[in-house]
Amino acid sequence: MIGIVLTGHGSFPNGLLESVELIAGEVKQVEVIPFEEDQDKLEQAVVKAIDEVDTGSGVVCFTDLAGGTPFNVCSRVASSKENIRVIGGTNSPMLLSGLFQRELEVETFVEAVLKEGKENIKQFEVKKKQVPEDADGI
């Protein structure tokens, strides 16, 4: 089963996990790392978390912002390890979907959660009722 490391600025990772657990129930093989200030401590925590959740099927680090410190730290760690992937811009639908697909091969898993995340970004639109031109108000 693919291990998951969830990190981001402040309370983002804890809040996201809490949210998906309300829907999916308790999640196993997931480590949450909130980033506050210290980049070195974050890197140490990421290395430790990856080791904790890696059972040989790979690990995906979900981060809040692509290009942010948690993403950059995870990417740096992933570049020196095998079978570790990093996703930035994590949203609830992608994480929730991923929780149910953790038996996939890691590359297929990443493709699936990215697709799910993108497809679930929507805008609310009010659709106006169409009135036929020949309607006389009756």
Side-chain angles (χ1 to χ4, degrees):
M1 180 165 63
I2 293 171
I4 293 176
V5 174
L6 182 56
T7 186
H9 296 81
S11 60
F12 173 82
N14 290 326
L16 187 57
L17 182 61
E18 183 180 325
S19 176
V20 298
E21 284 187 329
L22 283 171
I23 299 164
E26 184 181 351
V27 179
K28 298 196 183 314
Q29 206 175 330
V30 174
E31 288 290 320
V32 176
I33 308 167
F35 172 62
E36 298 297 333
E37 292 179 20
D38 191 321
Q39 198 168 337
D40 292 331
K41 286 183 182 177
L42 176 62
E43 186 165 347
Q44 292 169 5
V46 167
V47 169
K48 182 179 178 191
I50 288 171
D51 290 343
E52 290 287 323
V53 299
D54 189 4
T55 60
S57 299
V59 174
V60 177
C61 299
F62 288 88
T63 71
D64 56 353
L65 302 170
T69 301
F71 178 88
N72 293 339
V73 167
C74 288
S75 297
R76 188 168 47 247
V77 172
S79 70
S80 66
K81 292 184 171 277
E82 298 248 350
N83 223 15
I84 310 300
R85 303 296 180 274
V86 181
I87 295 175
T90 302
N91 62 32
S92 298
M94 75 169 35
L95 183 59
L96 188 60
S97 172
L99 294 177
F100 299 106
Q101 301 184 66
R102 294 169 71 187
E103 299 303 327
L104 294 174
E105 188 270 329
V106 74
E107 291 300 328
T108 305
F109 174 88
V110 168
E111 288 173 19
V113 299
L114 288 175
K115 181 180 177 192
E116 189 73 30
K118 290 174 187 174
E119 288 179 356
N120 278 283
I121 297 172
K122 309 265 189 233
Q123 173 181 310
F124 171 75
E125 292 183 48
V126 175
K127 294 187 179 184
K128 297 189 181 211
K129 189 174 182 180
Q130 294 289 332
V131 178
E133 287 183 27
D134 61 348
D136 58 9
I138 298 178

